[in-house]
Amino acid sequence: MLQKNCTTNEGADVLREAISVFAGHGVMEEFSSLPRIFRDVVVNEQWEGPRNLLLTQIFRDIQRVSDWYSPAEFVASILDGTSEEKKYKFSLQLEDLLQRPVLGEVNDVSIDAAIEWDDFCSSIFKVYQEIALKEIE
């Protein structure tokens, strides 16, 4: 879910920028296939659920198993190949987020926690991508 969430979100951002490079021509399908690709990315982004729904499910899944699969173990397993310092930083951040009101009542505190959760997911996935890229080089 995290991979789908991050790649479709980044894909939409990249395509928006690519379309803007061509200005008015970027939105004309006679000139470029970018508008069709953009629509495909947006459909894919929504197909299994919008971003907030996927982030909520990821949070619930990690929170549910945290008693027997600690945040430190989870981070260490997916970030195998990165520095211990990064693993430690992400572990602490995940432990903190799991104790905060990301879900439930909507208020300023929960909104801030949800924004931090979104940022955390994007950041940890980028590190994961870096590790995966090193493996195939």
Side-chain angles (χ1 to χ4, degrees):
M1 278 190 283
L2 184 57
Q3 182 178 15
K4 177 196 173 298
N5 196 359
C6 291
T7 54
T8 55
N9 190 51
E10 288 177 18
D13 290 344
V14 168
L15 282 161
R16 236 182 258 103
E17 191 173 324
I19 288 170
S20 72
V21 167
F22 293 108
H25 292 312
V27 295
M28 296 172 44
E29 291 193 27
E30 299 80 26
F31 178 80
S32 168
S33 61
L34 292 174
R36 181 187 54 77
I37 297 169
F38 181 76
R39 281 194 310 275
D40 290 349
V41 166
V42 172
V43 166
N44 190 29
E45 192 175 26
Q46 298 299 316
W47 189 255
E48 290 182 42
R51 182 171 181 76
N52 60 342
L53 181 68
L54 292 175
L55 289 171
T56 300
Q57 188 59 48
I58 293 166
F59 184 85
R60 283 184 180 144
D61 290 347
I62 293 173
Q63 193 175 46
R64 187 173 346 138
V65 301
S66 65
D67 288 341
W68 57 269
Y69 191 44
S70 73
E73 289 176 293
F74 171 72
V75 169
S77 70
I78 65 170
L79 296 185
D80 186 31
T82 193
S83 72
E84 293 300 317
E85 182 181 331
K86 279 186 184 179
K87 289 179 197 175
Y88 181 71
K89 179 187 139 224
F90 280 114
S91 294
L92 287 180
Q93 192 175 9
L94 180 56
E95 287 175 15
D96 176 55
L97 283 164
L98 290 174
Q99 302 305 314
R100 303 209 11 237
V102 172
L103 305 176
E105 184 180 332
V106 177
N107 56 38
D108 290 342
V109 175
S110 66
I111 291 171
D112 289 343
I115 290 169
E116 282 186 47
W117 176 247
D118 189 357
D119 292 342
F120 171 83
C121 288
S122 294
S123 297
I124 199 168
F125 186 71
K126 283 185 169 79
V127 173
Y128 175 79
Q129 284 179 316
E130 291 169 6
I131 295 166
L133 184 60
K134 285 179 188 175
E135 288 180 9
I136 60 171
E137 288 181 337

PDB file of all heavy atoms in Angstrom, residues 41-54:
ATOM      1  N   VAL A  41      -2.871   8.002 -14.200  1.00  0.00           N
ATOM      2  CA  VAL A  41      -2.276   8.056 -12.854  1.00  0.00           C
ATOM      3  C   VAL A  41      -3.322   8.450 -11.825  1.00  0.00           C
ATOM      4  O   VAL A  41      -3.401   7.859 -10.744  1.00  0.00           O
ATOM      5  CB  VAL A  41      -1.072   9.034 -12.811  1.00  0.00           C
ATOM      6  CG1 VAL A  41      -0.685   9.359 -11.378  1.00  0.00           C
ATOM      7  CG2 VAL A  41       0.111   8.449 -13.541  1.00  0.00           C
ATOM      8  N   VAL A  42      -4.167   9.411 -12.156  1.00  0.00           N
ATOM      9  CA  VAL A  42      -5.196   9.844 -11.211  1.00  0.00           C
ATOM     10  C   VAL A  42      -6.196   8.721 -10.959  1.00  0.00           C
ATOM     11  O   VAL A  42      -6.597   8.486  -9.812  1.00  0.00           O
ATOM     12  CB  VAL A  42      -5.891  11.130 -11.710  1.00  0.00           C
ATOM     13  CG1 VAL A  42      -7.082  11.480 -10.854  1.00  0.00           C
ATOM     14  CG2 VAL A  42      -4.901  12.290 -11.725  1.00  0.00           C
ATOM     15  N   VAL A  43      -6.571   7.995 -12.003  1.00  0.00           N
ATOM     16  CA  VAL A  43      -7.482   6.864 -11.824  1.00  0.00           C
ATOM     17  C   VAL A  43      -6.809   5.811 -10.943  1.00  0.00           C
ATOM     18  O   VAL A  43      -7.409   5.289 -10.001  1.00  0.00           O
ATOM     19  CB  VAL A  43      -7.909   6.267 -13.187  1.00  0.00           C
ATOM     20  CG1 VAL A  43      -8.571   4.911 -13.002  1.00  0.00           C
ATOM     21  CG2 VAL A  43      -8.832   7.226 -13.904  1.00  0.00           C
ATOM     22  N   ASN A  44      -5.549   5.504 -11.235  1.00  0.00           N
ATOM     23  CA  ASN A  44      -4.819   4.521 -10.435  1.00  0.00           C
ATOM     24  C   ASN A  44      -4.700   4.980  -8.990  1.00  0.00           C
ATOM     25  O   ASN A  44      -4.796   4.184  -8.063  1.00  0.00           O
ATOM     26  CB  ASN A  44      -3.431   4.286 -11.029  1.00  0.00           C
ATOM     27  CG  ASN A  44      -2.732   3.112 -10.401  1.00  0.00           C
ATOM     28  OD1 ASN A  44      -3.365   2.170  -9.944  1.00  0.00           O
ATOM     29  ND2 ASN A  44      -1.416   3.169 -10.368  1.00  0.00           N
ATOM     30  N   GLU A  45      -4.509   6.267  -8.798  1.00  0.00           N
ATOM     31  CA  GLU A  45      -4.379   6.839  -7.456  1.00  0.00           C
ATOM     32  C   GLU A  45      -5.652   6.606  -6.637  1.00  0.00           C
ATOM     33  O   GLU A  45      -5.605   6.389  -5.443  1.00  0.00           O
ATOM     34  CB  GLU A  45      -4.095   8.336  -7.588  1.00  0.00           C
ATOM     35  CG  GLU A  45      -3.665   9.024  -6.346  1.00  0.00           C
ATOM     36  CD  GLU A  45      -3.289  10.470  -6.597  1.00  0.00           C
ATOM     37  OE1 GLU A  45      -3.794  11.084  -7.562  1.00  0.00           O
ATOM     38  OE2 GLU A  45      -2.502  10.998  -5.820  1.00  0.00           O
ATOM     39  N   GLN A  46      -6.799   6.617  -7.293  1.00  0.00           N
ATOM     40  CA  GLN A  46      -8.073   6.482  -6.596  1.00  0.00           C
ATOM     41  C   GLN A  46      -8.617   5.050  -6.592  1.00  0.00           C
ATOM     42  O   GLN A  46      -9.523   4.744  -5.831  1.00  0.00           O
ATOM     43  CB  GLN A  46      -9.126   7.397  -7.246  1.00  0.00           C
ATOM     44  CG  GLN A  46      -8.779   8.859  -7.169  1.00  0.00           C
ATOM     45  CD  GLN A  46      -8.665   9.345  -5.740  1.00  0.00           C
ATOM     46  OE1 GLN A  46      -9.485   9.015  -4.901  1.00  0.00           O
ATOM     47  NE2 GLN A  46      -7.647  10.125  -5.457  1.00  0.00           N
ATOM     48  N   TRP A  47      -8.068   4.187  -7.416  1.00  0.00           N
ATOM     49  CA  TRP A  47      -8.652   2.869  -7.634  1.00  0.00           C
ATOM     50  C   TRP A  47      -8.811   2.066  -6.351  1.00  0.00           C
ATOM     51  O   TRP A  47      -9.869   1.510  -6.076  1.00  0.00           O
ATOM     52  CB  TRP A  47      -7.804   2.085  -8.644  1.00  0.00           C
ATOM     53  CG  TRP A  47      -8.466   0.817  -9.062  1.00  0.00           C
ATOM     54  CD1 TRP A  47      -8.137  -0.441  -8.665  1.00  0.00           C
ATOM     55  CD2 TRP A  47      -9.582   0.687  -9.935  1.00  0.00           C
ATOM     56  NE1 TRP A  47      -8.965  -1.362  -9.246  1.00  0.00           N
ATOM     57  CE2 TRP A  47      -9.873  -0.680 -10.042  1.00  0.00           C
ATOM     58  CE3 TRP A  47     -10.359   1.592 -10.653  1.00  0.00           C
ATOM     59  CZ2 TRP A  47     -10.906  -1.170 -10.824  1.00  0.00           C
ATOM     60  CZ3 TRP A  47     -11.382   1.094 -11.425  1.00  0.00           C
ATOM     61  CH2 TRP A  47     -11.651  -0.259 -11.513  1.00  0.00           C
ATOM     62  N   GLU A  48      -7.749   1.946  -5.557  1.00  0.00           N
ATOM     63  CA  GLU A  48      -7.826   1.166  -4.323  1.00  0.00           C
ATOM     64  C   GLU A  48      -8.151   2.023  -3.118  1.00  0.00           C
ATOM     65  O   GLU A  48      -8.136   1.550  -1.998  1.00  0.00           O
ATOM     66  CB  GLU A  48      -6.514   0.432  -4.097  1.00  0.00           C
ATOM     67  CG  GLU A  48      -6.298  -0.681  -5.094  1.00  0.00           C
ATOM     68  CD  GLU A  48      -5.025  -1.422  -4.827  1.00  0.00           C
ATOM     69  OE1 GLU A  48      -4.719  -1.697  -3.651  1.00  0.00           O
ATOM     70  OE2 GLU A  48      -4.318  -1.724  -5.791  1.00  0.00           O
ATOM     71  N   GLY A  49      -8.404   3.267  -3.347  1.00  0.00           N
ATOM     72  CA  GLY A  49      -8.736   4.172  -2.254  1.00  0.00           C
ATOM     73  C   GLY A  49      -7.861   5.412  -2.316  1.00  0.00           C
ATOM     74  O   GLY A  49      -6.722   5.344  -2.756  1.00  0.00           O
ATOM     75  N   PRO A  50      -8.403   6.512  -1.897  1.00  0.00           N
ATOM     76  CA  PRO A  50      -7.620   7.747  -1.926  1.00  0.00           C
ATOM     77  C   PRO A  50      -6.466   7.693  -0.923  1.00  0.00           C
ATOM     78  O   PRO A  50      -6.418   6.839  -0.025  1.00  0.00           O
ATOM     79  CB  PRO A  50      -8.636   8.822  -1.556  1.00  0.00           C
ATOM     80  CG  PRO A  50      -9.745   8.122  -0.877  1.00  0.00           C
ATOM     81  CD  PRO A  50      -9.740   6.708  -1.391  1.00  0.00           C
ATOM     82  N   ARG A  51      -5.560   8.601  -1.090  1.00  0.00           N
ATOM     83  CA  ARG A  51      -4.332   8.667  -0.293  1.00  0.00           C
ATOM     84  C   ARG A  51      -4.614   8.581   1.211  1.00  0.00           C
ATOM     85  O   ARG A  51      -3.983   7.814   1.924  1.00  0.00           O
ATOM     86  CB  ARG A  51      -3.591   9.954  -0.646  1.00  0.00           C
ATOM     87  CG  ARG A  51      -2.286  10.130   0.057  1.00  0.00           C
ATOM     88  CD  ARG A  51      -1.521  11.325  -0.512  1.00  0.00           C
ATOM     89  NE  ARG A  51      -0.260  11.492   0.142  1.00  0.00           N
ATOM     90  CZ  ARG A  51       0.813  10.748  -0.075  1.00  0.00           C
ATOM     91  NH1 ARG A  51       0.769   9.785  -0.962  1.00  0.00           N
ATOM     92  NH2 ARG A  51       1.933  10.959   0.582  1.00  0.00           N
ATOM     93  N   ASN A  52      -5.561   9.376   1.686  1.00  0.00           N
ATOM     94  CA  ASN A  52      -5.818   9.383   3.125  1.00  0.00           C
ATOM     95  C   ASN A  52      -6.318   8.027   3.622  1.00  0.00           C
ATOM     96  O   ASN A  52      -5.995   7.608   4.725  1.00  0.00           O
ATOM     97  CB  ASN A  52      -6.772  10.513   3.512  1.00  0.00           C
ATOM     98  CG  ASN A  52      -8.109  10.421   2.832  1.00  0.00           C
ATOM     99  OD1 ASN A  52      -8.276   9.735   1.828  1.00  0.00           O
ATOM    100  ND2 ASN A  52      -9.089  11.131   3.358  1.00  0.00           N
ATOM    101  N   LEU A  53      -7.087   7.326   2.818  1.00  0.00           N
ATOM    102  CA  LEU A  53      -7.574   6.005   3.207  1.00  0.00           C
ATOM    103  C   LEU A  53      -6.430   5.001   3.305  1.00  0.00           C
ATOM    104  O   LEU A  53      -6.348   4.228   4.262  1.00  0.00           O
ATOM    105  CB  LEU A  53      -8.629   5.511   2.220  1.00  0.00           C
ATOM    106  CG  LEU A  53      -9.234   4.162   2.506  1.00  0.00           C
ATOM    107  CD1 LEU A  53     -10.095   4.218   3.761  1.00  0.00           C
ATOM    108  CD2 LEU A  53     -10.061   3.707   1.332  1.00  0.00           C
ATOM    109  N   LEU A  54      -5.538   5.014   2.328  1.00  0.00           N
ATOM    110  CA  LEU A  54      -4.398   4.092   2.355  1.00  0.00           C
ATOM    111  C   LEU A  54      -3.475   4.400   3.529  1.00  0.00           C
ATOM    112  O   LEU A  54      -2.999   3.485   4.202  1.00  0.00           O
ATOM    113  CB  LEU A  54      -3.628   4.157   1.039  1.00  0.00           C
ATOM    114  CG  LEU A  54      -4.369   3.622  -0.186  1.00  0.00           C
ATOM    115  CD1 LEU A  54      -3.558   3.856  -1.447  1.00  0.00           C
ATOM    116  CD2 LEU A  54      -4.691   2.152  -0.023  1.00  0.00           C
TER     117      LEU A  54
END
